[in-house]
Amino acid sequence: TAYRQKVRQAKYRVGQGVDVRCLTVDVRGRTAVLTAKKTLIAEGEDGSVISDYGEAEPGKIAAGFISKVDGTGLTVTFYNNVHGRVSSRCLASELGVEDPRTNYTVGDVVAARVVQCDRRRNRNGDGGYFYQLRLSLKTAVEERPEPSVEEEKADGAAKAREGAVPIAAGSVLAAKRMKVLQLVNCVRRDDGSPTYPGYAVVAVKSKFLVGSRGSDAVEFKLPFDQLKDAYDADLGGPEELDGIAADILTVGKRIDAEGLILSVPVGSDRLPVVTLRPALVETVSSAVESASSTGDLTIACPSPRSNLFMGEYVRGYVTRVDPRYGTFVRFLDGLSGLIPKLKKGLNENLYDTLLCKVTALDITSSPPKILLKRVTEGEVAKKREAKKSKDAKRHEKQEKKKRQPRVGDVVDEVKVVDVNFARAKVHVLNSQYNVRARVHVTMAGALAKTKLSKKERQEREGHKITKSHPFWGWKVGDIITGARIVSVDDRDGVSYVELTNLDDDRASPSSHLTPGTDVSAIVTSVSNPATHHGLWVQVRPGVSGFVPALELSEDADILNDVASNFPVGSRISCRVMEGGRSSGGRPRRPKAQTDEDGSRQAVVLDLSVLMASSPPPKSDGDGERPAFKPLKARKGDVVAGRINSRIRRLGPPSVMLSLRGGYIGRCCVTEVSDMDEWENLVELGQTSDSGVPGTGGDGKGQQQVVSDSDADHSRENEDGDASDEEQEQEDRHSDFPDGRYVMCRVLGGAKTALDVSMRRQRLDGDLEDDPVPGPNDMVHGYVTCTSKKGCFVRLSRSLDARVILKELSDDFVPDPGAMFP
């Protein structure tokens, strides 16, 4: 203006002295640029002058003048053409400046603080470099000491109480918490096409964030495609989002809407990303509220750390529509899913918020691969209503179940309606329980002795109910007191209960009986075959067991008459053994071992009466579980054995025995009886494989396994053994019939069988070996083999002798094998 020109002419007259300061000097051109600004002239007395980039140390404050003003910030020039930049984001966050163009003009002198000065290489590859100087107009900076770990924890707890949220994906920011610092429009490529949508830089005060440190506010990135749930279908491209953002956001103003942290980059300087999509914010908020409640169908906004499952409903936004594959849907922390184009994946609009259902999931990769299907809010509402209805029915059923009988309830009095071998049907007299009740034989206790009529005895004998049976004294119409529930089964709306009148742990209904458990069982039948002699017992409803005869007693007389000593219906105490090697194996289940409805019982246990009468074994020192199975007999033990003619004889003539635990015993013919009672025992020498005398039957054809189970001797039964009827015919004329139990003493062990003796003097304790005869002694022995080499005689279990043919008789022997069998 004319006024300014007049003032300038008066102030700077020719010849008048002025105080100036040199800004730049061009030595080659012999020119210099000066300044007469008083602030710049007065500056520098304390050395705070920046005339080179090397002097721009972080924290240094110096005066400069504004050389450029635009929407992105200010350019401040110092001496010697040192330029620095103050961003509009910094002006908005530190000084609250909404638009630098309205607050600053070119030529203004400002005091600037150095924030950072970086040296960077030129991108054109010429080897040069340039400096990037970042400034701030906030010169007053309060220095805060580094907080300790305890102070950080206390600060975080205080912020959490005030409603602060962590800086993590999925955290919801309340309204009025985000302040717009800068708007950055869409960036274009060299060919002019847009690349990514623009974004806004927003700041949130650190007091609203848990874990923030070192600044008064934390900056976030708000992309322009995260402002609404849906945009117009005819949206031209990312550049059109700039106008939408300008209408919604204003630099320096706070956003009156809730926000959601979408992602937090790890190990980089990039800003965390937030969104204003109302549907996503509501989804995450609802998921947090419903986490404490159950029974409601929730919609999730998952992240790579979420436990996704097939059929889960998720909400995200469309980030890309690819004609080759379909629509890509983005969730928290960069987790993405795909709606295939074959599933109408190309029908979605870019940037829209979608509700989807997980149809396929591959969790072997990280992050997981997800296939989605678009669903509507109506479909989810129907699903939610169906789930609520189902939960209501389940709750009603549970409430009804609470009113139903439970295990342990005492029903007190019941009336006997029907009695058979396995169960007694009863009627509960307590009107509180509307159930069908019964008492299983294993859960029943014998009543006081009652006198039965002849007809009642006949009825019980028809049901195989003997005097030892718990139901012997039970009659139709009797009132049983003290009954309690041990099992409840609901089927088709009817409650079936198992009752017991026992008051001890024998009424436990559990079928998961581990080895070593002591149980009480009812004898249901006797297995008579010699190969599988023992007792079938009932342990629990649906749980039966087999007790091999050798596990019943150590007395051979008792074992020879098992049916009389263990009558059907009697109760015995047993211990559960480990499966595998057992005395005589487990036979097929007889027809008597089926339930009343004809269904086969699923659980069969290996049991032992002898182990129940002995103390439980102790565990090993290394902490291993003790073995609940019979141990191998030791030398000197007196044991019971069962004569087993089906086992191939070892070192004949001999008697083969089945011992407890599945082991085999061999009684030499010289150990069958005392020496003064020896008699001809030709039957003990009959064998298809007679080994060479003196070898003890250890030839290739006589290799034996120390077990007499079905699996071990299946081949032997196929090698031409006599049928059961023929075997019985032979046993009637035999001194050692198959299946007889005898007492014997263990003399030693071998790989194939244990050496045992049935001599009375051995059973009385004499374990000394027979003396070796001397010359001219008269001895007795059993012929083991007669051949051309002579007649071989066994004098004791460890001594064989040979009689040459010419010493067999004074007379001629035409057939030595027939005369000396």
Side-chain angles (χ1 to χ4, degrees):
T1 62
Y3 175 75
R4 285 187 175 275
Q5 291 180 359
K6 186 177 180 181
V7 172
R8 188 176 300 168
Q9 290 177 0
K11 187 175 183 180
Y12 302 105
R13 294 193 306 270
V14 177
Q16 183 176 351
V18 294
D19 293 333
V20 295
R21 195 163 197 169
C22 182
L23 290 177
T24 61
V25 176
D26 185 4
V27 179
R28 183 175 298 179
R30 301 180 62 82
T31 58
V33 179
L34 307 176
T35 178
K37 295 181 179 292
K38 294 181 180 181
T39 305
L40 294 178
I41 295 174
E43 181 201 28
E45 295 179 356
D46 55 352
S48 58
V49 175
I50 298 178
S51 59
D52 187 82
Y53 284 103
E55 300 175 354
E57 299 176 354
K60 187 174 183 178
I61 300 174
F65 63 93
I66 298 175
S67 57
K68 183 181 178 181
V69 180
D70 55 18
T72 61
L74 309 176
T75 300
V76 179
T77 302
F78 300 98
Y79 302 101
N80 201 19
N81 286 329
V82 176
H83 305 286
R85 185 71 178 168
V86 183
S87 64
S88 58
R89 182 195 313 176
C90 180
L91 293 173
S93 61
E94 295 179 347
L95 303 179
V97 177
E98 298 181 7
D99 189 357
R101 291 169 292 189
T102 60
N103 294 80
Y104 300 95
T105 59
V106 175
D108 291 349
V109 178
V110 294
R113 176 173 54 87
V114 177
V115 176
Q116 186 177 359
C117 184
D118 297 327
R119 180 179 177 179
R120 301 180 182 273
R121 289 189 175 276
N122 293 332
R123 296 182 180 178
N124 53 15
D126 58 358
Y129 58 88
F130 66 97
Y131 287 91
Q132 187 176 18
L133 179 60
R134 289 175 50 195
L135 304 174
S136 173
L137 298 186
K138 185 178 180 181
T139 57
V141 179
E142 180 181 357
E143 295 184 0
R144 299 178 182 177
E146 189 72 16
S148 61
V149 177
E150 292 76 9
E151 291 176 347
E152 288 184 354
K153 291 182 179 179
D155 182 59
K159 289 181 179 180
R161 289 192 296 269
E162 295 176 359
V165 296
I167 306 177
S171 298
V172 178
L173 301 172
K176 298 287 187 180
R177 296 283 174 88
M178 293 177 288
K179 181 180 180 181
V180 181
L181 302 182
Q182 182 182 2
L183 299 179
V184 181
N185 292 332
C186 174
V187 180
R188 294 181 175 274
R189 295 188 180 95
D190 295 337
D191 56 0
S193 60
T195 54
Y196 299 101
Y199 63 91
V201 179
V202 298
V204 179
K205 290 186 177 181
S206 59
K207 66 178 182 180
F208 299 130
L209 299 172
V210 177
S212 61
R213 50 188 294 186
S215 61
D216 295 332
V218 179
E219 295 180 353
F220 292 86
K221 179 181 178 180
L222 174 61
F224 290 162
D225 62 320
Q226 299 296 328
L227 300 178
K228 299 191 299 183
D229 281 329
Y231 295 86
D232 296 336
D234 57 351
L235 187 67
E239 68 276 3
E240 295 188 11
L241 296 175
D242 297 343
I244 298 176
D247 297 335
I248 298 176
L249 305 177
T250 304
V251 176
K253 299 294 185 181
R254 297 190 180 275
I255 301 175
D256 190 12
E258 290 184 327
L260 173 69
I261 300 179
L262 276 181
S263 63
V264 178
V266 179
S268 65
D269 295 334
R270 293 182 298 172
L271 298 178
V273 181
V274 295
T275 180
L276 300 182
R277 294 177 183 266
L280 290 182
V281 176
E282 182 182 359
T283 298
V284 174
S285 301
S286 301
V288 173
E289 294 176 359
S290 62
S292 57
S293 62
T294 57
D296 191 15
L297 183 64
T298 60
I299 302 173
C301 187
S303 69
R305 297 174 298 278
S306 301
N307 294 323
L308 282 173
F309 56 88
M310 296 282 293
E312 184 175 9
Y313 291 98
V314 293
R315 196 188 300 274
Y317 63 93
V318 178
T319 184
R320 181 162 64 98
V321 179
D322 195 324
R324 299 171 297 174
Y325 309 109
T327 297
F328 290 88
V329 182
R330 183 72 55 83
F331 304 103
L332 298 180
D333 259 345
L335 180 65
S336 299
L338 174 65
I339 303 178
K341 67 177 182 179
L342 296 179
K343 300 295 182 180
K344 301 180 180 180
L346 299 180
N347 297 342
E348 309 301 336
N349 297 326
L350 189 63
Y351 307 133
D352 281 0
T353 304
L354 301 182
L355 177 60
C356 304
K357 180 181 180 180
V358 178
T359 59
L361 187 63
D362 181 10
I363 61 175
T364 59
S365 60
S366 181
K369 298 177 182 179
I370 309 170
L371 288 184
L372 305 171
K373 176 186 176 183
R374 174 72 184 277
V375 295
T376 62
E377 296 286 350
E379 294 176 4
V380 177
K382 290 181 181 179
K383 189 75 173 179
R384 186 178 284 112
E385 290 298 328
K387 190 174 186 303
K388 287 183 179 180
S389 177
K390 186 177 180 180
D391 292 343
K393 291 181 180 179
R394 186 187 296 110
H395 179 71
E396 182 180 356
K397 188 175 181 180
Q398 291 176 352
E399 291 295 328
K400 184 179 179 181
K401 190 174 182 180
K402 292 180 180 179
R403 299 190 297 269
Q404 290 180 348
R406 293 176 295 180
V407 175
D409 290 351
V410 178
V411 300
D412 200 9
E413 294 184 347
V414 295
K415 183 179 181 180
V416 180
V417 178
D418 184 30
V419 179
N420 58 32
F421 182 89
R423 286 184 174 84
K425 294 182 180 180
V426 297
H427 174 67
V428 180
L429 300 180
N430 192 340
S431 60
Q432 179 184 354
Y433 299 100
N434 184 17
V435 296
R436 294 186 182 181
R438 56 191 179 184
V439 181
H440 194 265
V441 62
T442 59
M443 306 292 174
L447 301 180
K449 293 184 178 180
T450 56
K451 189 175 182 180
L452 301 178
S453 63
K454 183 178 181 180
K455 183 179 180 180
E456 290 174 340
R457 290 196 191 96
Q458 291 176 352
E459 290 179 353
R460 277 155 178 73
E461 291 175 359
H463 290 293
K464 299 182 180 180
I465 299 177
T466 63
K467 292 183 179 180
S468 303
H469 199 283
F471 289 152
W472 173 256
W474 291 45
K475 295 188 296 183
V476 176
D478 286 351
I479 304 298
I480 310 299
T481 60
R484 60 187 176 91
I485 300 174
V486 294
S487 177
V488 180
D489 183 17
D490 294 327
R491 291 178 294 178
D492 300 330
V494 181
S495 296
Y496 296 86
V497 298
E498 292 280 358
L499 303 178
T500 181
N501 64 332
L502 299 174
D503 55 357
D504 53 16
D505 57 357
R506 292 181 294 175
S508 174
S510 173
S511 62
H512 300 284
L513 301 173
T514 58
T517 305
D518 292 333
V519 297
S520 177
I522 300 296
V523 179
T524 58
S525 65
V526 178
S527 180
N528 289 319
T531 54
H532 304 297
H533 192 202
L535 297 178
W536 277 104
V537 297
Q538 192 73 27
V539 181
R540 301 284 187 268
V543 182
S544 61
F546 182 73
V547 186
L550 290 172
E551 295 294 335
L552 290 173
S553 174
E554 294 179 342
D555 190 342
D557 295 335
I558 294 177
L559 298 181
N560 285 321
D561 192 7
V562 173
S564 300
N565 291 282
F566 299 92
V568 174
S570 61
R571 186 183 293 274
I572 59 176
S573 297
C574 311
R575 179 172 293 170
V576 180
M577 296 191 300
E578 294 181 355
R581 175 182 232 157
S582 60
S583 302
R586 182 193 298 163
R588 289 185 177 180
R589 186 198 318 273
K591 294 182 179 179
Q593 301 305 316
T594 57
D595 290 337
E596 292 178 348
D597 56 359
S599 61
R600 296 181 67 85
Q601 298 175 5
V603 181
V604 179
L605 304 174
D606 292 326
L607 304 173
S608 172
V609 174
L610 294 178
M611 294 183 67
S613 60
S614 61
K618 297 181 180 180
S619 61
D620 299 335
D622 54 0
E624 294 185 357
R625 183 178 60 85
F628 295 97
K629 57 184 179 181
L631 301 177
K632 186 176 180 180
R634 299 180 179 179
K635 182 179 180 180
D637 292 347
V638 176
V639 297
R642 175 172 53 83
I643 298 175
N644 194 339
S645 60
R646 289 171 173 77
I647 301 178
R648 190 176 291 112
R649 290 188 176 95
L650 303 180
S654 61
V655 179
M656 302 306 297
L657 303 172
S658 293
L659 305 180
R660 184 185 175 199
Y663 296 98
I664 293 177
R666 172 187 171 272
C667 182
C668 180
V669 66
T670 60
E671 297 291 337
V672 170
S673 60
D674 292 336
M675 297 183 66
D676 55 354
E677 298 177 358
W678 283 7
E679 58 184 12
N680 290 334
L681 298 175
V682 178
E683 61 177 302
L684 300 185
Q686 295 175 356
T687 176
S688 58
D689 295 329
S690 57
V692 177
T695 61
D698 291 332
K700 290 186 178 179
Q702 296 187 4
Q703 292 295 329
Q704 296 289 320
V705 180
V706 190
S707 173
D708 60 345
S709 63
D710 292 340
D712 294 332
H713 298 281
S714 59
R715 291 185 179 178
E716 296 175 5
N717 296 332
E718 297 173 359
D719 290 340
D721 287 343
S723 63
D724 293 340
E725 294 182 0
E726 295 175 351
Q727 188 67 40
E728 291 179 2
Q729 294 277 349
E730 296 176 3
D731 292 342
R732 292 173 185 172
H733 305 87
S734 173
D735 294 331
F736 301 96
D738 183 50
R740 175 183 291 179
Y741 291 89
V742 296
M743 301 302 297
C744 54
R745 184 179 291 275
V746 179
L747 301 179
K751 293 183 179 180
T752 54
L754 297 173
D755 286 333
V756 298
S757 174
M758 292 188 290
R759 292 185 185 180
R760 268 198 300 270
Q761 64 180 17
R762 300 289 193 199
L763 295 176
D764 293 339
D766 183 9
L767 299 180
E768 296 293 334
D769 292 336
D770 294 338
V772 178
N776 300 322
D777 288 349
M778 181 68 68
V779 295
H780 296 274
Y782 287 97
V783 176
T784 60
C785 179
T786 303
S787 64
K788 294 180 180 180
K789 295 182 179 180
C791 179
F792 293 88
V793 181
R794 184 165 297 164
L795 304 181
S796 66
R797 69 185 183 93
S798 59
L799 181 62
D800 285 349
R802 185 182 70 148
V803 181
I804 59 178
L805 295 180
K806 67 180 182 179
E807 296 292 341
L808 288 176
S809 175
D810 293 336
D811 300 327
F812 174 72
V813 181
D815 189 358
M819 297 186 66
F820 296 92

